[in-house]
Amino acid sequence: MIASAPGKVIVFGEHSVVYGKHAVVSAINLRCYVKVKKSREVRITSSFGTTGYDFAGKHAYISHAIRRFSEVCEVGGVEVEVRSDIPPASGLGSSAAVTVATLGALNAEFNAGLGREEIFELARKVELDVQGIGSGTDPFVSTFGGSWVLPEKRRFHTDLEFEVIDSGETSVTAEMVRRVRELRDAYPDVILPVLDAMDAIAVRGAEALERNDIAEISRLFRMNQSLLRAIGVSTPEIDRIVARVEEAGYSAKITGAGGGGCVLTTGMGEMRISLSAEGVRVEDFEDWGSADN
C-alpha cells in the first residue's frame, strides 16, 4: 500500500510554539510518498540508501514509526520505500511527512483501522522518540492538512501564496530546539519576553492572513525574523538571503527550526508554494511512476 502526507510551513511561531505560544501553520503542496509491503524482515529504502531498523541514523523516523505502530498492531517484517518532493532538513516538515506517511501506509497494509487522530498520536510519539522535545506541530499539520492557528487548533483560510528559498544549509530540528531551550534556561529574563513577542506576532499574523493583508504580513515577517535571529536560530547565509529579498522590496523569514533550511518569502523565491494541502491519504496507484510528483 502507498500513502502520502504533506510538508508544512510555519508562517509564524517557530520555537515559541514549543513553549505553548501561538503558531500559524499550514500543510503545503509538496508531499512524501511511502510504499509499505509485508515481509519477513524490516527493510527501509530511500534516497539515503537501504537499511534495516536504523533508530539513530538516516531512517530514524521511519524506524520509530514502525516500532510505535507495532505497539497497536503486530507487524513482523515490512519493506518500506520512500519517495519525497520535500527537501530533507529544509524546515518544510520532511521528517513529520515521512513519519505520518509511513504510519498511513502501515495502517492500510495491515488493516489496522486507525483514524487520523490515532495516527497523529503515534506520529507525535515518534517526534519525541527522535528529538526528545517537540510541540507536535509538524505531525499534526501533516496528518490533518489545512491551515491552522495553534494551540487552539482553529482552522482558517487565506488566498495568499508564498515562496521559499533553500539556504543550502542543513537544519537539524532537535539540535536547534535544544539550543533555544538552553538559551532560555540561561537567560529566562531575556528569552521569555522574546517568546511572548513571537506569540503576539503569530496572533496578529493569523488575522492578517485571513484578511489577505500582504502589507501587514510583510511587516510581521521582518519583526519575526529579527526575533528568530535574537534566539540564535538564524545564520549568516540566512541573513544574507533575507537582506537580498528585502532589498528587492519583499520580506522573508525562517520557516522551521532554523540553523539552515528554507526561508519563507513574500516574493523573489525559488519556488512558489500553495497552502492548505490535504493531509495523510492512501493513494489509489500501485506504481511509483503514477505518483503525482
Side-chain angles (χ1 to χ4, degrees), residues 13-14 58 61 70 77 97 100 144 156 168 172 183 187 192 196 199 237 248 263 279 282 290 293:
E14 289 86 354
K58 294 295 186 181
Y61 287 91
S70 299
V100 171
F144 292 99
F156 74 93
V172 181
L183 196 65
Y187 302 97
L192 292 179
D196 287 339
D199 182 61
E237 178 58 26
V263 174
V282 175
S290 302
N293 291 339

Side-chain angles (χ1 to χ4, degrees), residues 194-211:
V194 172
L195 298 176
D196 287 339
M198 289 180 174
D199 182 61
I201 287 173
V203 172
R204 285 177 176 265
E207 295 169 353
L209 283 166
E210 291 185 278
R211 295 194 309 268

Side-chain angles (χ1 to χ4, degrees), residues 17 21-25 137 140-141 148-154:
V17 71
K21 309 300 183 181
H22 286 89
V24 181
V25 300
T137 299
F140 175 82
V141 175
W148 300 83
V149 179
L150 303 177
E152 293 96 326
K153 295 183 180 178
R154 179 175 70 83

Side-chain angles (χ1 to χ4, degrees), residues 155-216:
R155 201 160 189 160
F156 74 93
H157 175 75
T158 182
D159 294 322
L160 296 178
E161 291 187 332
F162 296 94
E163 299 181 19
V164 293
I165 299 173
D166 193 336
S167 71
E169 299 174 309
T170 299
S171 174
V172 181
T173 299
E175 172 65 15
M176 300 313 297
V177 169
R178 182 188 62 79
R179 287 188 190 180
V180 173
R181 180 178 57 197
E182 290 177 351
L183 196 65
R184 181 208 60 172
D185 292 344
Y187 302 97
D189 54 331
V190 176
I191 301 303
L192 292 179
V194 172
L195 298 176
D196 287 339
M198 289 180 174
D199 182 61
I201 287 173
V203 172
R204 285 177 176 265
E207 295 169 353
L209 283 166
E210 291 185 278
R211 295 194 309 268
N212 299 312
D213 187 344
I214 192 63
E216 177 75 353

Side-chain angles (χ1 to χ4, degrees), residues 22-39:
H22 286 89
V24 181
V25 300
S26 182
I28 60 175
N29 59 324
L30 300 177
R31 303 188 73 84
C32 176
Y33 297 83
V34 174
K35 183 177 182 180
V36 163
K37 182 180 179 181
K38 293 176 183 176
S39 179

Side-chain angles (χ1 to χ4, degrees), residues 62-84:
I62 299 170
S63 299
H64 280 285
I66 297 169
R67 183 180 66 82
R68 285 293 183 181
F69 182 80
S70 299
E71 294 174 359
V72 298
C73 179
E74 185 176 350
V75 171
V78 65
E79 293 182 9
V80 179
E81 296 180 53
V82 180
R83 290 191 180 181
S84 184

